[in-house]
Amino acid sequence: MGDKKDVWQGTLALMVLRTLETMGPLHGYGLARRIEQTSGDLLQLNYGTLYPALLKLEQEGAIRSHWGVSENNRKAKFYELTKAGHREVKKAAAEWEQTTAILDRFLNPAHEA
Amino acid sequence: MRSLRTFWLRLRGLFVSGSDFDAELESHVALHADAGIRAGLTPEEARRQALIRLGGAEQTRQAHRERRTLPWLESLVRDFAYGLRTLGKHRVVTAIAILSIGLGIGANATIFSMVSRFVLRPAPVGDPSSLLTLKTVHDGDECCNDFPLPVFKDVRDQTKSFSGVAAYDELITASIGGNGEPERVWGQAVSANFFDVLELPMVVGRGFASGEENAQQIVIGAGLWQRRFDSDPAIAGKTVMLSGRLFTIIGVAPASFHSVDQILNAEFWVPLGNAAQMMPDPANSTSRHMHWLAVVARLKPGVTRPQALAELKTLAARLAIAYPDTDKGNGFVIELAGLLSQSDSKRMGLFLAALGIVVLLVLSIAGANVANLLFAQAAGRQRDMAVRLALGATRGRLQRQMLIESLLLGLGGGALGVLLSLWSTRALSTLHLPAPVPLDLTISVDWRVLLYSFVLSVVCGILFGVAPAWAASRPLLANALKGEDALARPGRRITMRNLLVVAQIAMSVVLLCITGLFLRSLESASGIDIGFRSQNLLIMSVDPRLHSYTPERTAAFLTQLRQRAASLPGVASAAITDYAPLSMGGRSDGFSVVGGPDGDNSPSTDLYMASPGFLETMGIPRIAGNDFSNETATEQKVGIVNQAFVDRILKGKNPIGVLVNGGGVNYRIIGVVGNIKSRSLGEETRSVIYRAMVQNVGSDPSFLGYTLVVHTAGDPAGVAEAVRRQIHALDPAMAIFNEQTMEEHVQAAFFLPRLAATLFGTFGFIGLVLASVGLYGVMSYAVSRRTREIGIRMALGAQPGTVERLVLRQGMVLTSIALVLGWPAAWMLSKLASSFLYGIQPHDAFTFAIVPPLLVMIALAACWIPARRAASVDPMQALRTE
């Protein structure tokens, strides 16, 4: 297991949480499309990686799932944030902002002046 | 918390099918395809695109599955299942290995249960870590003494380190009512705060409250409650007769509690104020001379033991000034309550250390056997291993597989061992020491023993599996695939297996020598002349004092009892003493000749009371003078001494008529008799004085009751019932105890040599069998490996006898090396055993001379079968099969 994948998985989890927070319950495909749209189609998700990430979040208690019916009448599994999930988004978002802020200082030292 | 939840969910995931995810995946592809169709693709193309973006349905399923479950656990479970199957296929090897390890671990668990019971187990009280035992100690003495009552009160009232200090008289006797005939029971007289200091909650009712120091109240033990009161749950508040006085039962102590020291087996507790009626010498109970109270104290929270000790030290200094006559030079020591005192633990520790070494040897021998078996098995599986290696399995994977198999063997052996130790601890618990006081020496398999056995089996499984696993995972591939021996490295003469068998035999040498010593010790103990008859004697004890008899009434009762017993049919004679010899202890004093130089002050002379006819009944030969006849309590006290008394205290002078003094009392010697073993079989002959019973019943009553000794013509057990009837004819309420034949009593005195011989004998035998099986295994394997070589030799003209000698010589070389290594080790280790041997030296020439040839003979036998097989190799057959 390389470090890159871990980082990627970490950010994917945050994207998932954040998207569910703003959009409410979504099914896997809708979630994947939404993430791509939000990224301005800069990200191309390998959809297959999304499901283990969702499962991990569910096992950790941040999201829960239930079967429902999609907008075009197909059976689909919907994911939504739990209470713990809401807390988790805030925490993770704050941490991530801090990390990027620190990195930013290294990448753009001019800011400091 | 979260990772625990995740782990649990994933563990559950192992047993849940992935069909739910299949449906979700299907729905994903359908949704994606719908979008594609909307964008103008054909349904087939849309579906194809969706699957491509998914990155493959099967891969996704796999990734999801790995997240859902615990992959490492699954592969481990697979390895275990495979290991179990492999072991199941090689049933004989598995059975021998499990039996070997089982015997080894069973032996270790048994010994460890003793360690756990006597060394590790804390007292069964609330928070044992802050409960201390206090003792007094006099300057220059090695160890310690009990407390006089006033000193206990000083400690209780003048120290600040303790939240409570309690005192108790360690053993008092009483006869108790309840179901059936009255029974003599042992208990303790305790200060009213005793149970509070112990923090011991009652099963029923309550403990004593403050201010109940003199109350006629009693707390009974759970055993007594069950035995005599049918575990009556409403017993609190009921009354019971205790030595003729009415006591109110206020509580029942828990079954785990017998005494603070965990050795004495007390069955009832009464407030200390009642002690005076129940102890032999109440007059001195308030003096600062008489040390008779055991003391426990509860440390205040936050106070350390050194702080408490420092406070006691200043108190001792104060007391020495206030009471220079009695307290000068006195100090205090503290120990954690419930553990053996230092002097006891030293001897116990030595015994357990010796046993511990022996059982570890047994386990090592067993383990070497298992390692050898695994080597042989690895040899049989080299082709299998080579194929797996060739197909790309890593060495680590193969080693893990092999290790799991040996781990399984270890665990199986451990389980068997625990079963064996369950049985052996029960058997050991039924043995009882021939002590006149009740001891609780039961041992059992507790959680510490289980934990120890588990750790030991895992360690065994891994330790004995490592070398074979390593060897098995590195076959010479080319050889293995061709079907040739791939584990034997060319040019290597000292193989691991030979080393193992040498170690095994060397350990058996040590084991056999130690075993031999203890067997010899038992033999020599059984040859000890105890100095009195053990056949055709019945003994039976009563304690009239517990039934509120006056001394005169006691004397009359005992005299009548003697006469009634003597006139029974089948009885040759009957006599009374206070307690039978070989009871591990008893009364003793220092004696000196009156008007002569000071004798020895140490209490080295044992005192017995004897009625007329006692010496003759016991078969103790009279050397000079007379027996007791019709002495009275008022005239000069008389005594009969043994030969050792004459030799040591009278320095061989004519003893008849000499006045001697012991314990402040003068006795005129009227006779001399032969020596006896007085306390234990192993003792140096002790000096003994027999005192006329009627003269001492009043002035110095026996604390242990009185024992009727009946000499019968036939089987002594046959008259027991008749004797009992005579006792109850005199007093129907009289409690009878210690009823047994003298043979049984003397047998019990063999307890220690027999226990040691049984334990060491069993372990020695197991070790020897295991080692010879090991040698046999190695030699058989060597022969099967060399079948071809032997075939060639025979084809070239070697005689069967020559071949046989070839194999035997190899076995003997291994045995000789082992003897050279093991014999000196045994010689050195035998010193450890010296204090437990009776009548023989630790370097007993017979033992050390007999063990090597014995071992050589056993080794020859173990090698002989493979040697015969080698000699019967048919050259044609051997050359063809390979």
Side-chain angles (χ1 to χ4, degrees), chain B residues 443-529:
Chain B
I443 51 172
S444 60
V445 177
D446 58 15
W447 65 268
R448 277 178 290 268
V449 179
L450 288 179
L451 184 68
Y452 178 77
S453 311
F454 178 74
V455 171
L456 209 56
S457 15
V458 170
V459 169
C460 275
I462 290 174
L463 205 61
F464 301 132
V466 152
W470 194 81
S473 66
R474 326 178 67 81
L476 294 173
L477 268 186
N479 280 4
L481 293 176
K482 275 188 294 182
E484 286 172 11
D485 189 352
L487 288 186
R489 308 266 148 177
R492 215 185 266 184
R493 300 211 51 186
I494 305 167
T495 66
M496 191 71 190
R497 308 194 65 198
N498 286 347
L499 280 183
L500 277 173
V501 89
V502 166
Q504 251 186 330
I505 302 174
M507 287 186 282
S508 332
V509 174
V510 177
L511 207 52
L512 266 186
C513 286
I514 298 178
T515 305
L517 283 178
F518 279 97
L519 289 177
R520 283 270 292 158
S521 156
L522 180 64
E523 187 204 352
S524 122
S526 65
I528 289 173
D529 177 18

Side-chain angles (χ1 to χ4, degrees), chain A residues 7-65:
Chain A
V7 173
W8 174 236
Q9 275 199 342
T11 53
L12 178 63
L14 182 52
M15 288 175 204
V16 168
L17 291 173
R18 181 73 186 143
T19 308
L20 288 177
E21 191 190 26
T22 47
M23 301 294 297
L26 282 174
H27 51 68
Y29 175 68
L31 187 61
R33 282 298 301 146
R34 186 67 210 169
I35 289 175
E36 284 177 344
Q37 282 164 12
T38 311
S39 75
D41 285 324
L42 286 175
L43 275 178
Q44 256 220 333
L45 266 186
N46 185 346
Y47 293 165
T49 59
L50 183 64
Y51 287 97
L54 281 170
L55 182 62
K56 181 167 184 279
L57 286 171
E58 197 174 358
Q59 283 168 347
E60 289 168 358
I63 60 173
R64 59 173 165 254
S65 66

Side-chain angles (χ1 to χ4, degrees), chain B residues 602-831:
Chain B
S602 61
S604 60
T605 298
D606 289 339
L607 285 79
Y608 289 92
M609 289 191 213
S611 71
F614 171 72
L615 299 162
E616 189 200 327
T617 306
M618 289 287 287
I620 301 171
R622 188 155 64 216
I623 296 171
N626 302 312
D627 191 6
F628 299 118
S629 49
N630 42 12
E631 292 78 14
T632 62
T634 47
E635 51 185 26
Q636 169 63 51
K637 289 190 175 178
V638 294
I640 297 172
V641 297
N642 70 348
Q643 189 60 47
F645 189 99
V646 175
D647 295 343
R648 268 177 226 156
I649 290 148
L650 302 172
K651 312 285 184 232
K653 278 188 298 194
N654 178 15
I656 307 298
V658 173
L659 209 56
V660 291
N661 179 288
V665 181
N666 289 345
Y667 303 90
R668 189 157 38 75
I669 298 176
I670 61 165
V672 180
V673 293
N675 293 334
I676 59 165
K677 290 287 174 195
S678 173
R679 298 183 163 206
S680 66
L681 293 169
E683 72 189 13
E684 289 289 316
T685 304
R686 298 175 65 88
S687 49
V688 172
I689 183 167
Y690 303 91
R691 307 172 295 158
M693 194 195 67
V694 288
Q695 292 185 321
N696 295 281
V697 168
S699 59
D700 186 13
S702 164
F703 180 43
L704 298 165
Y706 297 89
T707 300
L708 174 69
V709 184
V710 179
H711 181 203
T712 58
D715 177 20
V719 302
E721 188 49 43
V723 177
R724 292 177 71 92
R725 267 204 301 278
Q726 291 304 323
I727 293 174
H728 285 143
L730 285 167
D731 184 343
M734 184 64 65
I736 300 170
F737 53 91
N738 288 353
E739 179 192 322
Q740 55 188 341
T741 66
M742 187 59 88
E743 225 174 338
E744 288 164 348
H745 179 73
V746 172
Q747 272 299 308
F750 280 94
F751 176 79
L752 278 178
R754 220 176 25 182
L755 176 69
T758 310
L759 286 176
F760 286 99
T762 310
F763 297 146
F765 180 73
I766 293 173
L768 184 63
V769 169
L770 289 176
S772 25
V773 167
L775 182 61
Y776 167 77
V778 166
M779 295 317 295
S780 304
Y781 178 69
V783 166
S784 73
R785 280 254 321 274
R786 293 171 71 181
T787 309
R788 192 171 183 180
E789 177 204 325
I790 292 168
I792 292 172
R793 277 170 189 267
M794 292 181 80
L796 292 177
Q799 294 300 308
T802 323
V803 171
E804 211 172 305
R805 272 196 297 282
L806 183 78
V807 175
L808 284 180
R809 196 168 59 225
Q810 198 189 352
M812 283 308 108
V813 166
L814 295 179
T815 310
S816 313
I817 297 173
L819 274 173
V820 168
L821 292 175
W823 202 84
W827 184 268
M828 283 186 289
L829 274 171
S830 64
K831 277 211 188 99

Side-chain angles (χ1 to χ4, degrees), chain B residues 12-344:
Chain B
R12 249 180 27 179
L14 281 175
F15 307 99
V16 178
S17 82
S19 61
D20 190 62
F21 183 63
D22 289 344
E24 186 175 11
L25 216 51
E26 191 43 53
S27 124
H28 172 98
V29 174
L31 284 166
H32 196 169
D34 284 349
I37 292 164
R38 276 199 301 279
L41 296 174
T42 62
E44 292 76 26
E45 181 59 16
R47 194 175 164 77
R48 205 176 72 85
Q49 289 292 339
L51 281 173
I52 289 172
R53 281 301 303 279
L54 191 64
E58 202 42 56
Q59 285 89 330
T60 308
R61 241 179 241 128
Q62 181 61 25
H64 191 265
R65 183 177 160 71
E66 272 172 21
R67 180 63 223 179
R68 192 172 64 233
T69 64
L70 295 162
W72 58 266
L73 186 68
E74 270 187 293
S75 87
L76 204 63
V77 167
R78 257 202 308 278
D79 277 358
F80 267 100
Y82 182 75
L84 279 176
R85 267 206 312 280
T86 316
L87 294 182
K89 251 188 285 178
H90 303 99
R91 276 209 195 101
V92 178
V93 173
T94 307
I96 294 177
I98 287 184
L99 192 68
S100 295
I101 297 186
L103 286 172
I105 288 188
N108 277 278
T110 307
I111 299 312
F112 190 77
S113 63
M114 294 187 189
V115 176
S116 169
R117 163 70 177 79
F118 294 111
V119 183
L120 299 178
R121 192 171 83 177
V125 296
D127 187 17
S129 64
S130 65
L131 190 69
L132 303 175
T133 304
L134 269 53
K135 296 252 164 88
T136 63
V137 61
H138 193 77
D139 274 356
D141 285 357
E142 199 170 317
C143 192
C144 16
N145 207 337
D146 285 337
F147 273 67
L149 183 64
V151 178
F152 155 64
K153 286 182 174 160
D154 291 339
V155 169
R156 184 188 60 191
D157 300 338
Q158 298 180 31
T159 55
K160 297 191 177 64
S161 301
F162 309 110
S163 58
V165 183
Y168 59 101
D169 185 356
E170 278 188 303
L171 274 181
I172 57 172
T173 54
S175 75
I176 196 166
N179 294 341
E181 287 178 9
E183 180 185 347
R184 188 193 65 155
V185 287
W186 294 83
Q188 298 181 326
V190 302
S191 57
N193 61 347
F194 181 71
F195 292 114
D196 295 336
V197 171
L198 260 50
E199 294 172 5
L200 190 74
M202 294 289 131
V203 179
V204 172
R206 60 176 178 90
F208 304 114
S210 65
E212 292 182 337
E213 291 288 353
N214 296 304
Q216 293 210 1
Q217 291 174 337
I218 181 171
V219 168
I220 58 174
L224 194 63
W225 180 44
Q226 222 169 63
R227 193 165 74 239
R228 296 196 73 83
F229 302 98
D230 302 325
S231 302
D232 175 7
I235 189 133
K238 297 194 175 159
T239 54
V240 64
M241 288 300 279
L242 196 69
S243 294
R245 294 158 72 213
L246 205 57
F247 276 72
T248 307
I249 299 174
I250 61 165
V252 177
S256 59
F257 184 76
H258 301 294
S259 60
V260 176
D261 64 20
Q262 303 198 76
I263 301 283
L264 291 174
N265 189 10
E267 295 204 284
F268 72 87
W269 295 266
V270 293
L272 201 50
N274 295 294
Q277 279 94 355
M278 300 187 186
M279 54 187 292
D281 190 9
N284 280 329
S285 65
T286 53
S287 86
R288 295 186 84 88
H289 281 290
M290 175 134 159
H291 295 250
W292 62 289
L293 285 171
V295 170
V296 286
R298 177 70 70 181
L299 265 186
K300 260 186 199 156
V303 179
T304 64
R305 273 201 266 172
Q307 283 166 354
L309 195 59
E311 195 190 7
L312 286 171
K313 206 168 171 184
T314 48
L315 175 66
R318 268 208 314 275
L319 293 178
I321 293 167
Y323 309 98
D325 290 349
T326 51
D327 289 29
K328 202 156 180 269
N330 280 356
F332 301 100
V333 289
I334 55 181
E335 281 168 359
L336 205 55
L339 300 182
L340 287 174
S341 67
Q342 278 170 347
S343 54
D344 289 343

